[in-house]
Amino acid sequence: MIIVGNVLAGIVALIHVYILVLEMFLWTKPRGYKAFGLTPEFAEQTKTLGLNQGLYNGFLAAGLIAGLIAGGDTGFAAKVFFLVCVAIAGIVGALTASKRILYVQTVPAVLALIFVILGH
């Protein structure tokens, strides 16, 4: 169970690294427009918001990676905390931005959380 939980937590971390790249570096590029449904004009006007959002997603990824590296009770606590944060962020995103966020963020985070807890 712990291996499955760690693999899933790692996948969630990688998803958030990818989101960081989209928001911080590709926000004003065609890939960013497509990912977030932006027009070039709106993307240009809101690029600092994308940068900020990307940074927060990077913090979520970093916390999960730190939890995976730390292991033991400290790693467990970090993984649980950051997976709960990801799940909540996904719920808020689904309610305020796009229902798709629920499947991209919340579902993987909850699955990882279940396995992390069962493996502890």
Side-chain angles (χ1 to χ4, degrees):
M1 292 280 188
I2 190 67
I3 293 171
V4 174
N6 283 340
V7 168
L8 291 174
I11 290 169
V12 172
L14 290 175
I15 289 168
H16 283 79
V17 168
Y18 179 64
I19 295 170
L20 171 148
V21 170
L22 282 172
E23 292 175 337
M24 293 184 79
F25 305 109
L26 301 177
W27 188 265
T28 58
K29 308 284 188 269
R31 182 68 193 113
Y33 307 152
K34 183 178 176 188
F36 302 111
L38 307 173
T39 64
E41 297 80 18
F42 186 75
E44 192 59 41
Q45 293 169 351
T46 59
K47 65 183 174 184
T48 57
L49 295 175
L51 182 70
N52 194 12
Q53 289 173 188
L55 186 63
Y56 283 99
N57 279 293
F59 291 148
L60 293 172
L64 287 170
I65 293 166
L68 289 166
I69 291 169
D73 289 339
T74 300
F76 172 75
K79 288 181 284 188
V80 168
F81 174 78
F82 284 100
L83 288 168
V84 168
C85 289
V86 169
I88 292 169
I91 291 167
V92 172
L95 291 172
T96 60
S98 169
K99 301 270 186 270
R100 183 176 63 133
I101 295 171
L102 192 68
Y103 303 104
V104 173
Q105 284 186 286
T106 303
V107 169
V110 169
L111 287 173
L113 183 62
I114 290 167
F115 281 95
V116 164
I117 290 170
L118 288 176
H120 184 65

